[in-house]
Amino acid sequence: MTAPRVLIMGPPGAGKGTQSRTIAEAYDIEHVTTGDALRSNKQMDISDLDMEYDTPGEYMDAGELVPDEVVNAIVEKALADADGFILDGYPRNPEQADELDGMTDLDVVLSLEVGRDELIARLTGRRVDPETGENYHVEFNMPEDSEVRERLVQREDDRREAVENRLDVFEANTEPVIERYREHDGFVEIDGEQAPADVWQTIQDELDERLG
Ligand code: AMP
């Protein structure tokens, strides 16, 4: 079997990051995530594009999409270097989906489905440990260690206004891409409102069946 090429789609807060990390480890494939790649390059000078902002970070903090040129280049390089991958956070609009079509074929497309109210609760309550990158939640999952609790921060784009904006951007730009992938032979819809361990079990069953 060749190494699996898997795409995971879904709105912000659906659990793509968590599930992707588990998938990457279980199937020994690369986790390619534009969100993390961009967070590591928030200050990159993209003023030569002459667009609204001069750095990726300004788009991200506002909950807007970083220009396609920047994101396409990140993904093209990452996929060329990967033998099997789980792609998370890309494509987010039809133009990026066209680019991806030209870069690779996909074996499986997972679509994590979660309702808007649940997404708002998950995202605005999310807190991150700046030292480990671990995610927590003010209601559902706080760390035992008081030292960790005290150093938790909220991502700028998890503030209410940015969250609403990210969900609007998702509905306008990314939903049409998911609609397109419904025609793909490897398309699978996953109920993302289940507990994370159950989501993982469902994904694992689907992947094992489809990847043979
Ligand atoms: P995420 O962690 O996937 O929610 O991504 C965080 C932010 O990074 C998004 O709100 C966008 O500003 C930016 N971003 C991530 N992936 C993309 C993409 N494929 N296209 C444009 N912007 C992106």
Side-chain angles (χ1 to χ4, degrees):
M1 187 187 81
T2 55
R5 294 160 300 183
V6 183
L7 169 64
I8 190 164
M9 301 283 298
K16 299 188 299 294
T18 306
Q19 297 299 334
S20 296
R21 278 188 287 277
T22 313
I23 295 167
E25 207 169 296
Y27 293 88
D28 195 21
I29 51 179
E30 207 67 42
H31 180 200
V32 177
T33 157
T34 47
D36 286 357
L38 289 167
R39 268 185 287 283
S40 312
N41 290 286
K42 276 185 107 169
Q43 303 307 330
M44 188 168 72
D45 182 2
I46 53 169
S47 56
D48 54 325
L49 295 179
D50 204 17
M51 292 180 71
E52 190 179 4
Y53 301 120
D54 291 336
T55 62
E58 288 167 274
Y59 289 95
M60 297 169 79
D61 289 348
E64 290 175 32
L65 293 184
V66 174
D68 289 348
E69 288 90 328
V70 177
V71 187
N72 292 339
I74 290 174
V75 175
E76 181 140 39
K77 161 116 188 44
L79 295 191
D81 292 347
D83 182 23
F85 57 81
I86 168 79
L87 177 58
D88 154 21
Y90 179 99
R92 263 177 151 96
N93 62 27
E95 294 73 27
Q96 293 181 7
D98 290 340
E99 283 289 316
L100 181 61
D101 277 349
M103 289 181 213
T104 186
D105 289 327
L106 298 166
D107 300 308
V108 178
V109 180
L110 302 168
S111 172
L112 278 182
E113 318 254 323
V114 178
R116 186 166 173 124
D117 290 347
E118 171 74 14
L119 294 169
I120 291 175
R122 287 186 187 182
L123 290 168
T124 56
R126 180 160 71 179
R127 298 293 180 272
V128 184
D129 179 348
E131 293 199 7
T132 63
E134 196 68 42
N135 283 326
Y136 296 93
H137 193 281
V138 289
E139 265 177 76
F140 315 125
N141 171 29
M142 280 298 266
E144 300 275 317
D145 186 340
S146 63
E147 212 173 295
V148 179
R149 269 204 307 277
E150 278 157 29
R151 68 173 183 236
L152 295 183
V153 293
Q154 186 177 39
R155 264 168 55 173
E156 195 63 40
D157 61 350
D158 281 343
R159 293 179 196 282
R160 178 78 191 216
E161 201 184 304
V163 164
E164 298 272 6
N165 201 18
R166 286 162 70 197
L167 294 175
D168 291 345
V169 166
F170 169 79
E171 282 165 20
N173 299 276
T174 317
E175 286 225 329
V177 178
I178 297 179
E179 287 313 308
R180 232 164 92 171
Y181 281 119
R182 279 184 199 279
E183 308 298 316
H184 192 288
D185 283 345
F187 184 86
V188 197
E189 200 175 290
I190 308 279
D191 174 5
E193 296 206 10
Q194 307 172 86
D198 297 331
V199 175
W200 164 234
Q201 190 57 57
T202 313
I203 289 178
Q204 198 173 20
D205 292 346
E206 293 285 354
L207 288 178
D208 287 347
E209 191 187 315
R210 278 151 205 278
L211 298 170

